[in-house]
Amino acid sequence: MDFLNTLLSPIEFVVAWIMYGWHQAFTAIGMDPEGGLTWGLSVVGLVCVIRALITPLFIRQLHASRKMQMLQPELQKIQAKYKGKTDPDSRQAMTQETMELYKAHGTNPLSSCMPILLQMPIFFALFNVLNGVGNIANARRGAVGPITQSVAQQIEASTLFGVRMSDTFMNAWRTGHAAPIVVTLALIVIMSISTFTSQHMAMTKNMPASALDNPMFKQQRILLYITPFFFFISGPNFPIGVLIYWVVSNIWSMLQQFYTIRQMPTPGSPAYAEYEKRQRAKGKAVVDPRGTVVGELAGDGAPAVRQSGQRQQPKRKGRKGSGSPSAGSGGASSSRPASSDDDVDHSGGGSSTRS
């Protein structure tokens, strides 16, 4: 435990400074420095800073997750190849081929877990800071960055909906205080529902059909129900401030998920079909991650499909004598595409080669 606390100590220092910085900013605009709302909004500010910092990682995770979903047909081929083979050599060969496939496409199954894994140390650091506020206020623990004894006493004295930032459901249950019980239960329920909604949205709307019939999807489906249940049973031990952090972070994730599913859906998923329909209704092209333009409206109103980045050569309208070869060509047809230069007389006043 001492080793873990040593590792978390620098993160606690940063978390404390971010919270204190937001508190000072809200105080500067006239909010009560001892108010629970001021400290509650300071935790919300902490969420905004942390989530903004990990947004590039979220984008990388999104691309990695898409690659994993698009690899499902290849993964299923490897699994079918070694189906029923349980000897060590076959299992090793299947693992090696799978890892080579991941390496070739620059992805792996852990990529989608990176944002939440990076948040866990921050989560535990915030837990330690808020859980230790009482000890700092009573001088049983040293200051954490700007959270000195006087600041800790201020945090302890502040209340939001009748509860302190360091209150927990279990402590409230033992003391018989009703307000912390109601507030913590409400936050725990919101936290569990928002976690379930975010994961359910990703699995039902942003998964291609090819990704639904594989072991990874089945594991994710189990986690869909286990994760909210874990939050529900562990939430009573979290301080109010930590619950506020996790609820706001979950709402951020849910809104971010909604935006990415709507604007950058996975090809082959129900969300992608809706996105393609909206783009066609606007007369715009749809480009999938492989660079294929799908849904661009052709001249007759039908969807056109072409490779993006390839210039479409202009088609020349038929004219008199266009079927006869040009003079000087020796009767051989040219393989190069038609260009506007063919319609210009470069003979310097000589006779044109066409009628």
Side-chain angles (χ1 to χ4, degrees), residues 274-287 293-304 306:
E274 294 175 6
Y275 170 73
E276 189 177 9
K277 184 179 179 180
R278 290 195 304 271
Q279 292 298 94
R280 284 177 175 168
K282 296 175 184 177
K284 296 181 179 179
V286 181
V287 183
V293 177
V294 292
E296 183 181 33
L297 298 182
D300 57 358
R306 65 173 175 83

Side-chain angles (χ1 to χ4, degrees), residues 177-258:
H177 293 160
I181 293 176
V182 173
V183 173
T184 52
L185 274 178
L187 290 173
I188 289 168
V189 169
I190 295 172
M191 182 172 63
S192 302
I193 291 175
S194 58
T195 300
F196 178 85
T197 303
S198 181
Q199 294 180 348
H200 186 265
M201 196 169 15
M203 294 181 66
T204 56
K205 294 182 69 69
N206 206 34
M207 282 278 192
S210 60
L212 300 181
D213 188 23
N214 67 83
M216 184 181 297
F217 176 78
K218 294 174 182 177
Q219 291 173 4
Q220 289 177 332
R221 196 170 186 85
I222 294 172
L223 288 174
L224 174 66
Y225 298 97
I226 290 179
T227 305
F229 179 72
F230 168 77
F231 283 133
F232 192 79
I233 61 174
S234 61
N237 296 305
F238 296 158
I240 292 289
V242 173
L243 290 177
I244 292 173
Y245 174 91
W246 210 247
V247 165
V248 176
S249 184
N250 277 2
I251 293 173
W252 180 298
S253 295
M254 192 166 59
L255 294 175
Q256 197 173 46
Q257 191 82 272
F258 176 81

Side-chain angles (χ1 to χ4, degrees), residues 14-323:
V14 174
V15 164
W17 267 110
I18 294 174
M19 277 185 58
Y20 184 74
W22 279 106
H23 178 267
Q24 292 299 98
F26 291 128
T27 301
I29 62 174
M31 294 185 69
D32 181 8
E34 297 183 357
L37 179 61
T38 308
W39 283 107
L41 289 176
S42 299
V43 175
V44 175
L46 173 67
V47 175
C48 295
V49 171
I50 299 303
R51 294 308 299 259
L53 289 175
I54 67 171
T55 293
L57 292 171
F58 172 80
I59 295 172
R60 289 183 61 183
Q61 174 258 333
L62 177 66
H63 290 307
S65 179
R66 281 186 175 182
K67 287 180 181 179
M68 283 296 301
Q69 291 167 357
M70 294 176 71
L71 282 179
Q72 290 309 313
E74 298 297 323
L75 289 172
Q76 289 172 359
K77 287 180 183 178
I78 295 175
Q79 292 165 1
K81 179 180 177 181
Y82 293 97
K83 187 176 181 180
K85 298 180 181 180
T86 57
D87 59 286
D89 290 340
S90 296
R91 304 305 296 179
Q92 183 178 356
M94 185 177 75
T95 302
Q96 186 175 350
E97 287 187 29
T98 302
M99 295 308 295
E100 287 176 355
L101 184 65
Y102 290 152
K103 186 177 180 181
H105 290 82
T107 188
N108 63 77
L110 294 178
S111 300
S112 59
C113 304
M114 195 59 67
I116 194 168
L117 289 176
L118 288 174
Q119 280 195 90
M120 293 311 293
I122 301 165
F123 178 75
F124 287 120
L126 180 63
F127 177 89
N128 284 351
V129 170
L130 293 176
N131 209 36
V133 163
N135 289 331
I136 297 173
N138 295 324
R140 291 195 298 265
R141 179 186 174 182
V144 180
I147 310 296
T148 59
Q149 185 177 9
S150 60
V151 174
Q153 289 172 348
Q154 187 183 77
I155 296 173
E156 280 288 273
S158 65
T159 58
L160 180 65
F161 302 115
V163 299
R164 298 175 301 175
M165 298 295 290
S166 58
D167 279 341
T168 66
F169 176 87
M170 298 307 295
N171 288 339
W173 186 266
R174 284 192 290 267
T175 58
H177 293 160
I181 293 176
V182 173
V183 173
T184 52
L185 274 178
L187 290 173
I188 289 168
V189 169
I190 295 172
M191 182 172 63
S192 302
I193 291 175
S194 58
T195 300
F196 178 85
T197 303
S198 181
Q199 294 180 348
H200 186 265
M201 196 169 15
M203 294 181 66
T204 56
K205 294 182 69 69
N206 206 34
M207 282 278 192
S210 60
L212 300 181
D213 188 23
N214 67 83
M216 184 181 297
F217 176 78
K218 294 174 182 177
Q219 291 173 4
Q220 289 177 332
R221 196 170 186 85
I222 294 172
L223 288 174
L224 174 66
Y225 298 97
I226 290 179
T227 305
F229 179 72
F230 168 77
F231 283 133
F232 192 79
I233 61 174
S234 61
N237 296 305
F238 296 158
I240 292 289
V242 173
L243 290 177
I244 292 173
Y245 174 91
W246 210 247
V247 165
V248 176
S249 184
N250 277 2
I251 293 173
W252 180 298
S253 295
M254 192 166 59
L255 294 175
Q256 197 173 46
Q257 191 82 272
F258 176 81
Y259 176 81
T260 53
I261 289 175
R262 181 176 174 81
Q263 299 298 331
M264 295 176 286
T266 302
S269 65
Y272 190 85
E274 294 175 6
Y275 170 73
E276 189 177 9
K277 184 179 179 180
R278 290 195 304 271
Q279 292 298 94
R280 284 177 175 168
K282 296 175 184 177
K284 296 181 179 179
V286 181
V287 183
D288 72 12
R290 289 165 292 194
T292 304
V293 177
V294 292
E296 183 181 33
L297 298 182
D300 57 358
V305 178
R306 65 173 175 83
Q307 295 297 316
S308 64
Q310 293 180 353
R311 180 177 179 272
Q312 297 296 298
Q313 297 294 345
K315 294 181 180 180
R316 300 169 62 195
K317 293 183 179 181
R319 63 176 187 272
K320 256 182 204 178
S322 61

